[in-house]
Amino acid sequence: MRDDDLAFVEQIHRELQGVRWASSEEIRARARRRSQRRIVVATVVLALTGASAAAVAAPGKSPAPGLPAAPTRHEIPLDALLQPADLRQQVYTQLSQSGLGEPVRLEETLGDCRTSQGLSDGWQTSNLSRSQTLMRKHSPDNLVEGDVLLMQDLFRLAPETARQLVAGLDDVVAPCARWRTVGQAEVNGTTQTTEVIHRWSVARRGFAGDDAAILRDSLTAARDVQTGQALSGEPTPLLLAVVRVGDTVSVLRPGYDGTESDLVQLAEAAAARMCAAANPAC
């Protein structure tokens, strides 16, 4: 890459860092806070200009002597994301955005658990990213939590960082194998102090791509701290899948009615789609 190309990309990167996409960040942040069992989606679809992002991608390996060099893939094309046809349910709305230098957030509650114990949140920093939220409604007006079918973040990282991210997931969740949270809840017109126990684990490995894992938060029902009485039924475990293909990593978060078997199938489909972006080529 020429010096003037690098200078141009660095200028674009600096300018993008100064841009505030408030509405989009609100969509992603609220969608990730599924421990509150509430998702709010606004009507904004963002697309950043994909101008020469090659400077932030990891260089490709040199080919063996006598073999032609395989082209290094730099951008993350849209077809590297899961497509509506990959889901069993019908998709009506697809919200997407792109970014540079974004952290690979797994789940906000997992990060909160770690930081509450004086640890780092454990997130790695990507070079490039594409994110999408697939919805089942045609219009995003008055959306409710069940309208979210899938959230996907697809990242390009340095190759060794990508490998370490998935290989080190057991160490990331270990401090949160049993994490107690205490908060206030309104019950029958009175405010009560409640507790929820989160139990994070790596539930499954090695089922898709070069490496893959399913993370599970088997949280308990909220209970009154004083009486021990459960204030609701047992919630559905929170699931997410992490899939690596080459230097790309995808994080998949299903909607509330998604099962582990559904998530495995989506992870396999995502791995196949990620071949359109991965280095080395599939």
Side-chain angles (χ1 to χ4, degrees):
M1 178 171 288
R2 302 192 308 271
D3 289 341
D4 54 345
D5 290 331
L6 287 170
F8 174 71
V9 172
E10 289 173 356
Q11 179 183 353
I12 293 295
H13 196 174
R14 287 194 300 269
E15 292 177 353
L16 286 174
Q17 286 179 328
V19 176
R20 300 289 296 175
W21 302 105
S23 297
S24 177
E25 287 303 314
E26 184 176 354
I27 292 172
R28 303 296 299 176
R30 292 185 181 181
R32 288 191 182 103
R33 295 191 188 104
R34 295 185 295 159
S35 62
Q36 299 175 6
R37 292 302 183 255
R38 184 169 61 248
I39 289 180
V40 178
V41 180
T43 60
V44 178
V45 180
L46 293 182
L48 299 181
T49 304
S52 185
V56 296
K61 296 181 179 179
S62 299
L67 295 179
T72 300
R73 298 161 180 183
H74 301 297
E75 297 180 356
I76 300 178
L78 284 171
D79 58 8
L81 295 170
L82 282 167
Q83 302 300 306
D86 296 322
L87 276 68
R88 293 179 178 178
Q89 306 94 325
Q90 191 169 3
V91 175
Y92 292 100
T93 304
Q94 188 172 7
L95 309 177
S96 66
Q97 67 183 68
S98 303
L100 292 170
E102 296 290 333
V104 184
R105 291 186 177 91
L106 300 178
E107 174 62 39
E108 293 295 338
T109 58
L110 180 58
D112 292 343
C113 168
R114 290 179 56 86
T115 56
S116 70
Q117 301 175 61
L119 304 171
S120 71
D121 55 23
W123 309 153
Q124 301 287 352
T125 300
S126 67
N127 295 331
L128 300 173
S129 66
R130 277 193 183 273
S131 302
Q132 67 172 349
T133 302
L134 301 177
M135 316 293 297
R136 62 161 47 98
K137 278 195 177 295
H138 178 67
S139 171
D141 295 333
N142 300 320
L143 291 172
V144 297
E145 60 186 28
D147 294 328
V148 174
L149 296 173
L150 179 76
M151 290 174 287
Q152 179 184 17
D153 297 317
L154 178 56
F155 304 93
R156 186 186 299 285
L157 301 94
E160 185 59 28
T161 302
R163 286 190 290 270
Q164 291 177 352
L165 188 154
V166 184
L169 288 174
D170 290 279
D171 293 334
V172 172
V173 304
C176 303
R178 189 183 188 280
W179 177 47
R180 178 177 180 261
T181 60
V182 177
Q184 302 296 313
E186 194 78 18
V187 180
N188 296 326
T190 62
T191 300
Q192 297 180 348
T193 302
T194 63
E195 69 172 5
V196 173
I197 306 299
H198 296 260
R199 296 187 177 91
W200 279 97
S201 63
V202 178
R204 191 167 179 171
R205 273 195 176 275
F207 51 87
D210 294 327
D211 200 358
I214 287 182
L215 305 188
R216 179 192 295 136
D217 180 14
S218 301
L219 63 166
T220 64
R223 294 182 178 275
D224 185 285
V225 170
Q226 293 184 344
T227 66
Q229 179 184 1
L231 304 178
S232 64
E234 289 291 325
T236 302
L238 186 152
L239 299 171
L240 62 95
V242 183
V243 184
R244 181 180 71 84
V245 178
D247 62 346
T248 61
V249 172
S250 187
V251 179
L252 307 173
R253 305 175 189 86
Y256 295 107
D257 54 357
T259 66
E260 185 171 323
S261 61
D262 291 336
L263 188 53
V264 168
Q265 292 180 354
L266 287 172
E268 293 170 344
R273 297 280 186 186
M274 291 161 66
C275 287
N279 294 301
C282 295

